[in-house]
Amino acid sequence: MTEKEKKEVTEVSEAQIAVHWQEEGYYYPSPKFIAQANMTDETIYDRFSLDNFPNCFKEYADLLDWYKYWDEILDTSDAPCYKWFRGGLINASYNCVDRHLEKNGNKTAIHFVPELEEEKTDHVTYQELWVRVNEFAALLQDYCGLKAGDRVTLHMPMSAELPITMLALARLGVIHSQVFGGFSGKSAADRIVDSGSEYLITMDAYYRGGKLLDHKIKADEAFETAAEQGQNVKKVLIWQRYGGKYSAETPLVEGRDVIVNDLLKNYYGKRVDPVPMPAEAPLFLMYTSGTTGKPKGCQHGTGGYLAYAAGTSKYVQDIHPEDVYWCMADIGWITGHSYIVYGPLALCASTVIYEGIPNYPDAGRCWRIAQDLNVNIFHTAPTAIRALRKIGPDEPAKYNYDFKHMTTVGEPIEPEVWKWYYKVVGKGKAAIVDTWWQTETGGFLCSTIPAVKPMKPGSAGPGMPGIHPVVYDDEGHEVPPGQGIAGNICIQNPWPGMFQTIWGDRDRFVSQYFERYCKNPDSKDWRDWPYLTGDAAVVAEDGYVRILGRIDDVINVSGHRLGTKELESAALVVPEVAEAAVVPVKHDIKGVEPDMFIALKPGFEASEALAKKINDALITEIGPIAKARKVWIVPDMPKTRSGKIMRRILAAISNGTDVGDTMTLANPEVVEAIQKMASEG
Ligand code: 6R9
């Protein structure tokens, strides 16, 4: 054993349990795809080289309409908090709606597909979107008194009303903070408190897996929890689900809850001019899990973010105005913000929003939607691809759809799964892009420009034009490409889509993302501030990046980020629990899922009921995606002599791999006891 290996490893990262698949050969897009592609010019990589940084990003900014053109492309005076397109005035709602009316008013902006097949799809034209965004903006301005810079929390399911709400807020310069609909009311409350939102916008109910879920009930919990923490929500605005009358069973609270659909009647025909916002004004917050229990609000700016979402949608997603584009992500995640709402609408495409789960009522649902709406660009995550492959491997062939382009995002995709996606879903015709990026980054970091670079299964691709990745080892030395050595992947330079800061916590922004490899903390030069992504990666000779997983305390379940500390804090809410430790376990559909190890306070006995109570706590505190595969109530945690829980050993037991050396532990005997428990299931 080397000295390095002997180091006490207490934490376990996903990267340590990652599948190390072999390098694969290239796949090339069809001439038909290349002939119609937005970007075929190989010199794009030279145009966006570090020598041409940051001016190269003018090309993205020029995809947008500005009230006032910017003066300076990148202001680094407050590095690493950057200002892009300083001096510019712009409105995101204008760019996604108004500017398309003259030529494309009658074109469909949004196809909303309800989960129940007997309900009609809602085709919202750009003209209709403009009307609805204006009327809702008028309500927000007049009834709520909202103005530029205010924050509003949204806790909405997939619906046409969600982008309408986002765009209405953006029209006024109000910062939206959408919380994934599947999260609990408590999770919403944390985000309401942190952002200082005085309004909560939600929906009464939605369908999922054929069941109508009462969603309004979560607003009550959010309201109460926020109030306990001192944040008073003035009003809860409740949209009624498409086509429905008030369908949730939870009653309205007088004076607090208002039904948007009723109130909107007072604003029919009203118009609100978009507010010209400084390019660097925040457009939205998106909370994500990190290394502490508290989710952090990634703050995205208006001009830079929108330029990057539009530019990458055009070049990587290959979106043209005549395309019907379907991204299956939830709008409550960054993928939905950038690549369901802002990118596609800025480019005047038709974007599909599907309410439900991909396999409801049967394995053919997705492919039926694609066929019926003539979807030609399809975007989903490995977890969905694995599930669709498992339940209906031959389903796609039964449907008559024609994809030119497909995306995978959210976690590493196994080459086998990639090939099924390519051959069966894409019918061997569609170009695939594997897009690696994060909530923090606003848009893609590594991928391929599909008509310029070939695809390589299992590998995301090189840095995007203008994104210059670098891999460092733990000591800060650069790991050159082609060595087959993994390291911490960082980005050398800033880019317009990157988050501006963590809402209200600049110190955390700096310490978590920049401190580790910062070359000079007083520097105002971006070259001194490499951005730490938190992922481990291997870069091949050709510059293609293979992401192995997280190196920090984040677990990526089905592409959803969960902080281990968040999960452990949720378990500690149960009074019997003394200590909790969570580790990732490989799963053939979800990528990984959490296993929760629990030590009880003295005097309490392990039982099935208690294990269930702990798992229920994860669901109520965070949401169903946080459910543990297994809750193990163990006699004690394996600990180092300094008292740190050895998660590495717990992870090895859960994954059925070698636990390695346990001699450095303070209590090696518990390892055997836990192994015995695990072998008995
Ligand atoms: C967009 C999004 C970010 C984390 C990221 C990484 C993982 C995302 C990936 C991928 C391998 C890909 N990730 N895309 N890993 N290949 N194509 O997912 O944002 O929810 O913030 O998650 O997801 O580990 O660091 P977010």
Side-chain angles (χ1 to χ4, degrees):
M1 223 198 235
T2 65
E3 279 309 305
K4 213 167 155 192
E5 281 165 338
K6 266 192 218 150
K7 248 190 353 202
E8 231 173 42
V9 184
T10 55
E11 299 292 327
V12 67
S13 69
E14 273 178 28
Q16 282 171 283
I17 64 157
V19 196
H20 293 265
W21 52 69
Q22 297 301 310
E23 287 294 330
E24 295 266 333
Y26 295 128
Y27 283 61
Y28 293 87
S30 68
K32 191 175 163 202
F33 177 82
I34 296 172
Q36 61 79 61
N38 279 328
M39 178 48 66
T40 51
D41 179 2
E42 286 175 23
T43 64
I44 183 163
Y45 288 94
D46 298 329
R47 288 207 309 277
F48 281 77
S49 70
L50 271 180
D51 290 342
N52 295 327
F53 180 86
N55 294 335
C56 51
F57 283 112
K58 177 180 186 307
E59 194 167 325
Y60 285 6
D62 289 347
L63 295 170
L64 304 177
D65 284 3
W66 297 81
Y67 294 109
K68 175 179 172 287
Y69 204 64
W70 39 275
D71 309 310
E72 190 187 0
I73 193 154
L74 174 64
D75 173 355
T76 65
S77 59
D78 189 27
C81 294
Y82 303 104
K83 292 187 185 72
W84 281 90
F85 310 124
R86 202 187 44 78
L89 291 175
I90 190 164
N91 185 283
S93 180
Y94 177 86
N95 273 281
C96 292
V97 189
D98 304 47
R99 67 167 175 159
H100 305 316
L101 295 183
E102 202 182 307
K103 276 201 208 136
N104 286 302
N106 292 329
K107 196 180 151 357
T108 301
I110 296 169
H111 296 283
F112 171 69
V113 184
E115 196 191 63
L116 298 186
E117 276 181 295
E118 55 269 34
E119 286 187 318
K120 277 209 198 86
T121 294
D122 189 12
H123 309 281
V124 184
T125 63
Y126 273 97
Q127 178 69 28
E128 196 185 337
L129 180 63
W130 179 75
V131 169
R132 295 183 69 184
V133 166
N134 268 283
E135 289 172 350
F136 192 46
L139 183 158
L140 294 166
Q141 190 175 49
D142 176 67
Y143 179 79
C144 304
L146 287 163
K147 53 180 191 326
D150 292 343
R151 281 83 52 210
V152 169
T153 297
L154 282 49
H155 193 198
M156 294 179 65
M158 289 291 275
S159 55
E161 286 73 15
L162 176 47
I164 288 169
T165 303
M166 290 159 64
L167 293 165
L169 290 161
R171 198 168 190 82
L172 304 173
V174 177
I175 304 166
H176 58 75
S177 167
Q178 153 71 3
V179 181
F180 170 54
F183 273 153
S184 65
K186 285 195 170 144
S187 291
D190 293 341
R191 291 149 174 82
I192 290 170
V193 175
D194 190 76
S195 61
S197 298
E198 295 185 331
Y199 290 86
L200 170 64
I201 306 180
T202 186
M203 186 165 273
D204 55 0
Y206 64 101
Y207 277 93
R208 198 160 175 83
K211 279 197 220 96
L212 185 66
L213 305 182
D214 181 346
H215 187 63
K216 197 268 169 176
I217 195 168
K218 291 186 179 175
D220 294 350
E221 195 185 20
F223 178 88
E224 280 151 30
T225 315
E228 281 163 21
Q229 295 175 40
Q231 179 64 32
N232 191 27
V233 171
K234 288 185 185 158
K235 294 269 179 217
V236 178
L237 305 187
I238 304 158
W239 283 101
Q240 287 175 319
R241 184 186 169 276
Y242 173 53
K245 49 186 191 316
Y246 186 66
S247 44
E249 284 172 9
T250 312
L252 299 184
V253 173
E254 265 221 42
R256 185 197 77 184
D257 294 351
V258 277
I259 296 289
V260 173
N261 308 50
D262 294 342
L263 205 57
L264 260 180
K265 294 183 182 131
N266 303 331
Y267 297 91
Y268 284 171
K270 290 274 191 313
R271 304 291 176 254
V272 178
D273 285 338
V275 179
M277 295 298 293
E280 66 272 20
L283 176 62
F284 66 87
L285 307 179
M286 170 67 65
Y287 282 82
T288 192
S289 298
T291 46
T292 67
K294 202 174 141 219
K296 46 201 175 180
C298 295
Q299 176 186 316
H300 283 284
T302 306
Y305 168 81
L306 196 62
Y308 200 67
T312 50
S313 293
K314 183 159 184 172
Y315 294 162
V316 180
Q317 300 292 286
D318 201 51
I319 295 178
H320 302 62
E322 52 279 15
D323 289 327
V324 181
Y325 167 89
W326 182 18
C327 170
M328 270 176 38
D330 195 288
I331 297 174
W333 306 114
I334 191 70
T335 302
H337 273 46
S338 302
Y339 300 113
I340 297 179
V341 180
Y342 286 112
L345 295 180
L347 297 178
C348 195
S350 302
T351 189
V352 177
I353 297 179
Y354 172 51
E355 177 179 37
I357 58 174
N359 57 345
Y360 185 82
D362 55 62
R365 183 64 192 276
C366 281
W367 322 122
R368 258 191 325 274
I369 293 174
Q371 167 185 282
D372 295 350
L373 293 176
N374 277 322
V375 172
N376 65 343
I377 306 183
F378 184 68
H379 187 150
T380 192
T383 184
I385 304 170
R386 290 184 206 111
L388 290 165
R389 175 174 177 243
K390 194 165 172 185
I391 56 167
D394 307 321
E395 271 319 282
K398 298 180 191 159
Y399 296 91
N400 191 11
Y401 63 79
D402 194 6
F403 294 157
K404 68 165 180 174
H405 180 291
M406 305 193 303
T407 300
T408 169
V409 63
E411 25 155 359
I413 183 165
E414 300 81 353
E416 276 319 300
V417 178
W418 190 100
K419 284 177 202 160
W420 181 78
Y421 196 36
Y422 182 77
K423 286 190 192 128
V424 182
V425 179
K427 305 180 179 177
K429 292 188 284 189
I432 295 186
V433 292
D434 180 346
T435 57
W436 168 67
W437 60 297
Q438 312 176 299
T439 305
E440 293 85 341
T441 71
F444 306 144
L445 291 178
C446 286
S447 186
T448 48
I449 303 280
V452 177
K453 294 268 182 193
M455 312 162 233
K456 194 158 102 174
S459 181
M464 285 287 299
I467 303 282
H468 302 278
V470 56
V471 174
Y472 290 120
D473 67 14
D474 285 343
E475 277 75 46
H477 304 119
E478 223 176 295
V479 180
Q483 312 276 304
I485 298 173
N488 303 323
I489 184 161
C490 297
I491 310 298
Q492 298 178 54
N493 59 294
W495 63 97
M498 80 187 284
F499 63 150
Q500 302 174 303
T501 185
I502 293 175
W503 178 256
D505 203 346
R506 188 187 192 278
D507 289 349
R508 193 172 171 205
F509 172 74
V510 176
S511 66
Q512 196 162 332
Y513 296 100
F514 299 94
E515 216 155 61
R516 179 141 185 204
Y517 295 115
C518 176
K519 295 168 195 160
N520 170 10
D522 300 320
S523 174
K524 303 292 170 218
D525 186 339
W526 55 264
R527 290 169 194 84
D528 290 323
W529 293 97
Y531 166 76
L532 176 74
T533 65
D535 282 334
V538 181
V539 183
E541 189 83 55
D542 57 6
Y544 277 48
V545 172
R546 196 149 50 96
I547 300 295
L548 303 179
R550 306 286 310 184
I551 48 166
D552 56 11
D553 305 328
V554 171
I555 298 184
N556 187 340
V557 182
S558 302
H560 302 323
R561 275 166 69 169
L562 297 169
T564 52
K565 295 280 186 307
E566 247 175 291
L567 292 160
E568 291 165 6
S569 320
L572 286 164
V573 166
V574 177
E576 294 89 338
V577 174
E579 283 179 309
V582 76
V583 297
V585 186
K586 261 191 219 160
H587 184 271
D588 62 356
I589 305 273
K590 300 178 185 177
V592 298
E593 57 182 349
D595 249 18
M596 178 64 80
F597 288 83
I598 298 288
L600 297 177
K601 289 178 187 158
F604 292 108
E605 290 278 318
S607 68
E608 292 267 316
L610 186 51
K612 180 169 182 309
K613 188 169 156 189
I614 294 164
N615 226 341
D616 288 347
L618 300 181
I619 297 165
T620 38
E621 292 295 311
I622 302 171
I625 56 167
K627 189 167 180 268
R629 177 190 74 131
K630 183 98 190 143
V631 174
W632 304 97
I633 303 182
V634 298
D636 197 3
M637 296 286 185
K639 287 189 181 158
T640 63
R641 287 175 211 275
S642 59
K644 292 205 183 86
I645 299 176
M646 287 285 264
R647 288 181 174 74
R648 174 181 68 74
I649 288 179
L650 297 173
I653 297 175
S654 282
N655 287 286
T657 56
D658 183 15
V659 295
D661 184 12
T662 57
M663 289 323 288
T664 55
L665 292 189
N667 52 355
E669 68 288 350
V670 304
V671 176
E672 245 168 70
I674 300 173
Q675 271 173 324
K676 188 157 174 279
M677 273 178 76
S679 66
E680 287 161 4

